[in-house]
Amino acid sequence: MQQEDQHLARLVVLCVDDPCCVAARPTPRLPSLSFSITAPGSAMFGTESSLSMFLNTLTPKFYVALTGTSSLISGLILIFEWWYFRKYGTSFIEQVSVSHLRPLLGGVDNSSPNSSSSSNGDTDSSRQSVSECKVWRNPLNLFRGAEYNRYTWVTGREPLTYYDMNLSAQDHQTFFTCDSDHLRPADAIMQKAWRERNPQARITAAHEALELEDCATAYILLAEEEATTIVEAEKLFKQALKIGESCYRRSQQLQHHGAQYEAQHRRDTNVLVYIKRRLAMCSRKLGRTREAVKMMRDLMKEFPLLSMFNIHENLLESLLELQNYADVQAVLAKYDDISLPKSATICYTAALLKARAVSDKFSPEAASRRGLSTAEMNAVEAIHRAVEFNPHVPKYLLEMKSLILPPEHILKRGDSEAIAYTFFHLQHWKRVEGALNLLHCTWEGNCTAFRMIPYPLEKGHLFYPYPVCTETADRELLPMFHEVSVYPKKELPFFILFTAGLCSFTAMLALLTHQFPELMGVFAKAFLSTLFAPLNFIMEKVESILPSSLWHQLTRI
C-alpha cells in the first residue's frame, strides 16, 4: 500500500513538470485586466484578449444592475433639475457653470440683473394679481366710414370683429346716453340707434333725429360711419361741436339741481370731449399736426380728470411726428408714473428716447469688445422693460410679422395693443437712426432665453403678472385672418432636456435588459467593441509608424 502511494505521488510530480499535462489541465476563467507586453506585435493582442476576457465574465445580472442604477441616478437628477427650474427659472447645472466655472475660465457673467431691478420687482410683485383681462378703448382708433370701410371695399375682408364692435356699442351707450333722453325726441331716437347692429339702420336713425332737431350725437354717428373721407368727417364733427358746446353750457348751469341734471351734464361732457378729441385726430390725419397738438393740450387742461380717454397717448404720437423730443420727455415724466396703468405707448416711447441717445453710433461688435456704456445700458434696460410689458411689439416694429388695421379696443400687454402701437409708431422708430438696430440686437438676445422676462409667468419682475386670459381675449378682438401672437414662453434649458432624454434612455435600457438579459449582453459587447474600434485603429497606426525598439521601451514604461 505504501509502495502504491509513493508511485502515485511520483506520477503527480512528473505530470506537473510535463508541459503537455499543464496545457491539458483546466484553468479557471478570471476577469483580469492586467497584461504584460513583451513585443511590439503583442500589444493589441493583449488588450483585446483582456477586454474580451472581462466582458465574458460579466453576467446578465450585472447589466440589469448597471442600467437600473443609471436610470435611477438620471431620474433623480431630472427631478431636482425640474424643481430648481420651476422655483428659480434656470437650470441648476447651467447656473453652477455660469456662476462658478466661467469665472475660473476667465469669463464674465453679465446676465445677472441689477439691484434696482430686483427691488422694483419685489415692490411690484406685491401688487394684487389681475383676475381678468380688462379691455381698453383704443386711443388712436380709426374712423369706420373713412378708414375701416375703405379697407373692406378694397380687400373684401372685415377688419373688425363682432366682439369689438359690440364693445364699441356699449361704450357709445355709456358715453352718449342718459336716463332723461326720453324728454328730447332726437335723443330718444339716438338712444335706440346706438343699440342697432345694422350700420345702415344706425345711419338712417341718425338722419331721422336730425330731421327733428339738431343733435350732436347724430352728427357724431354720421361722422364716424357715413363719412367716406376724413375731410367729410371733420365737417360733421365741427357741426356737432357747435351743438355740443351749447348743450354743455346749458347743462353746466343746471348740474346741481338734481340727479337727472347731473346725469345730463355728465353725458354732455363726454360728448364734448369726444368731439374735440376726434377733431384733433382729424387735424393730425390731415397733416395739421401743430394744430392737433394745441387742441389736445387745451383739452387736457380743460378736462384734467378725464384720464380714461388717454388723450396723452394721442399727444405723444403727434409730438413724435413733430420730432419735439423734449416735450415728449416732459409728457412721459408726467404719465410714466408707478401708480398709473402702463401701456405699450408709454414703455416703448421711453425706450425710443433712450435709444435715440446712443443708437446712431451703436455697434454690437464694438459693444461686445469694450462692454456697454452707461447710456447704452440705460437704453438696453429701457428696451428690456418695454419688452417685458408687451413682448409682441418687436416683431411688428422689426417687420418680422405683417401688420393689420388696429381694432377699436385693445388689451394691454396683448397682441391687439402691439398692433395698435406699431401701426402709428413704426415711422417714428424708423426716423431715429439705428433705433431699430439697437432694438433688434437687444430683443434678439431676449428672444432666445427671455432672461429679463419673468418665468414662471405667475411671478412679476417689473409689472403685474401676465394675464392668463390674454390670448383668448386677443382672438376675440382680432379678425380671423390674422395669426394671433401669443406670449413667448421661456424654453426649457438644455440640461433639463438632456437629463430627461438620458433618464428615458436608461430606463428603456434597464427594462430591456431585465426582459432580455442575454440579448442585451450581446448588444453591449458589440457596442463596446465598436466604441473601442477607433482606439484600436489609432494604436495600430502608431505601432506601424514608431520603431519597434522605441515602442518596446514606451510599453515597458
Side-chain angles (χ1 to χ4, degrees):
M1 189 68 179
Q2 293 180 355
Q3 292 179 354
E4 291 179 358
D5 293 340
Q6 292 177 357
H7 181 67
L8 180 60
R10 191 179 298 112
L11 290 176
V12 170
V13 171
L14 292 175
C15 185
V16 169
D17 295 336
D18 191 357
C20 296
C21 293
V22 173
R25 197 169 62 241
T27 58
R29 298 169 62 183
L30 299 177
S32 175
L33 290 178
S34 60
F35 56 90
S36 61
I37 302 176
T38 57
S42 62
M44 297 307 303
F45 175 76
T47 304
E48 293 177 357
S49 60
S50 301
L51 179 62
S52 177
M53 181 181 299
F54 175 74
L55 293 177
N56 289 332
T57 56
L58 298 179
T59 62
K61 292 183 178 181
F62 172 80
Y63 293 109
V64 174
L66 177 64
T67 53
T69 305
S70 303
S71 177
L72 177 62
I73 294 175
S74 59
L76 293 176
I77 296 176
L78 174 63
I79 293 174
F80 177 75
E81 277 282 291
W82 180 254
W83 169 82
Y84 193 89
F85 176 74
R86 293 291 298 177
K87 186 173 183 180
Y88 299 104
T90 184
S91 168
F92 175 76
I93 301 176
E94 180 181 1
Q95 185 71 18
V96 170
S97 62
V98 170
S99 303
H100 301 286
L101 298 182
R102 183 181 294 181
L104 295 177
L105 298 177
V108 180
D109 182 19
N110 296 325
S111 62
S112 59
N114 52 28
S115 58
S116 62
S117 299
S118 301
S119 62
N120 290 337
D122 294 337
T123 302
D124 291 328
S125 61
S126 63
R127 299 179 180 181
Q128 59 180 3
S129 61
V130 180
S131 58
E132 58 182 7
C133 292
K134 181 180 179 181
V135 178
W136 299 72
R137 182 80 176 179
N138 184 4
L140 297 168
N141 65 305
L142 305 177
F143 294 86
R144 286 193 185 179
E147 292 172 308
Y148 286 120
N149 286 347
R150 295 174 69 88
Y151 177 84
T152 305
W153 297 338
V154 174
T155 63
R157 294 177 172 179
E158 291 290 342
L160 298 177
T161 62
Y162 173 76
Y163 176 70
D164 191 16
M165 291 188 290
N166 186 43
L167 291 176
S168 298
Q170 296 177 14
D171 293 340
H172 295 154
Q173 294 177 46
T174 303
F175 294 150
F176 303 148
T177 63
C178 65
D179 296 336
S180 61
D181 283 344
H182 64 278
L183 300 178
R184 292 189 293 187
D187 290 336
I189 294 177
M190 290 306 302
Q191 191 175 33
K192 297 179 181 179
W194 294 121
R195 297 193 182 101
E196 288 286 347
R197 295 185 179 181
N198 188 358
Q200 192 58 41
R202 290 195 297 270
I203 294 174
T204 303
H207 283 291
E208 293 177 0
L210 289 176
E211 291 177 359
L212 297 177
E213 60 178 331
D214 287 337
C215 180
T217 55
Y219 281 115
I220 290 176
L221 192 147
L222 295 178
E224 290 286 349
E225 302 193 23
E226 188 182 39
T228 56
T229 62
I230 301 298
V231 176
E232 294 179 10
E234 185 181 32
K235 291 180 180 179
L236 292 171
F237 273 120
K238 286 182 178 179
Q239 291 179 285
L241 180 62
K242 297 178 182 179
I243 305 169
E245 286 180 340
S246 62
C247 292
Y248 174 76
R249 287 192 295 268
R250 191 182 312 116
S251 63
Q252 190 177 23
Q253 298 174 357
L254 303 174
Q255 62 175 322
H256 301 296
H257 291 185
Q260 177 181 342
Y261 295 102
E262 183 70 27
Q264 288 182 2
H265 178 67
R266 189 183 310 113
R267 189 270 311 273
D268 293 337
T269 302
N270 293 335
V271 170
L272 182 61
V273 172
Y274 186 89
I275 294 172
K276 289 186 175 182
R277 182 213 187 112
R278 294 304 260 179
L279 279 173
M281 295 177 67
C282 289
S283 299
R284 168 68 182 91
K285 292 177 184 293
L286 295 174
R288 304 193 304 268
T289 309
R290 295 188 182 277
E291 178 184 344
V293 169
K294 183 180 183 305
M295 295 175 65
M296 293 173 189
R297 289 187 183 277
D298 293 341
L299 186 58
M300 294 170 64
K301 290 179 182 178
E302 187 177 0
F303 302 98
L305 299 179
L306 293 181
S307 59
M308 59 181 176
F309 288 101
N310 293 325
I311 306 175
H312 61 276
E313 297 198 7
N314 299 84
L315 179 61
L316 284 174
E317 196 277 328
S318 299
L319 291 174
L320 287 173
E321 178 64 22
L322 295 175
Q323 302 185 39
N324 196 343
Y325 298 109
D327 288 348
V328 172
Q329 184 62 52
V331 175
L332 286 178
K334 181 178 180 181
Y335 289 95
D336 193 5
D337 186 75
I338 193 172
S339 62
L340 296 176
K342 299 295 185 297
S343 66
T345 302
I346 295 293
C347 296
Y348 278 91
T349 303
L352 176 61
L353 292 186
K354 292 188 178 180
R356 176 176 170 269
V358 297
S359 59
D360 56 339
K361 300 179 181 179
F362 178 77
S363 173
E365 295 78 10
S368 61
R369 289 194 304 267
R370 59 173 170 78
L372 295 175
S373 62
T374 304
E376 291 173 341
M377 182 62 70
N378 292 335
V380 169
E381 289 179 355
I383 294 176
H384 282 166
R385 173 178 179 261
V387 171
E388 180 184 338
F389 182 83
N390 194 321
H392 311 291
V393 175
K395 279 191 176 182
Y396 294 106
L397 286 178
L398 298 173
E399 298 183 77
M400 302 171 64
K401 192 173 182 180
S402 59
L403 270 176
I404 62 172
L405 294 183
E408 293 184 341
H409 289 79
I410 60 174
L411 186 66
K412 290 191 175 182
R413 308 187 72 184
D415 190 29
S416 53
E417 184 193 33
I419 293 172
Y421 170 79
T422 311
F423 188 86
F424 296 99
H425 289 264
L426 177 58
Q427 56 182 338
H428 307 318
W429 279 82
K430 288 184 176 181
R431 190 178 293 120
V432 178
E433 182 182 358
L436 290 176
N437 179 39
L438 179 59
L439 173 66
H440 176 72
C441 297
T442 307
W443 178 79
E444 192 68 23
N446 261 356
C447 184
T448 8
F450 277 94
R451 295 177 180 175
M452 300 301 295
I453 294 180
Y455 192 92
L457 301 181
E458 291 78 12
K459 296 181 179 179
H461 183 66
L462 293 175
F463 302 100
Y464 54 85
Y466 200 84
V468 181
C469 59
T470 301
E471 180 180 350
T472 305
D474 274 333
R475 293 188 187 279
E476 295 289 336
L477 288 172
L478 299 173
M480 293 296 296
F481 57 83
H482 173 72
E483 182 182 356
V484 177
S485 177
V486 298
Y487 187 85
K489 296 179 175 59
K490 186 175 180 180
E491 298 178 355
L492 291 176
F494 166 75
F495 290 104
I496 288 186
L497 299 176
F498 175 77
T499 309
L502 180 64
C503 177
S504 303
F505 179 72
T506 53
M508 182 184 65
L509 283 182
L511 180 62
L512 293 176
T513 307
H514 183 267
Q515 294 294 329
F516 312 101
E518 291 82 4
L519 182 61
M520 292 302 295
V522 174
F523 281 131
K525 294 174 184 177
F527 173 75
L528 292 176
S529 301
T530 306
L531 186 64
F532 282 102
L535 179 62
N536 295 336
F537 177 76
I538 295 174
M539 295 292 290
E540 290 177 359
K541 291 297 182 181
V542 172
E543 180 182 349
S544 62
I545 294 175
L546 295 179
S548 58
S549 58
L550 178 60
W551 178 255
H552 180 70
Q553 295 297 328
L554 291 176
T555 53
R556 291 180 65 86
I557 293 175

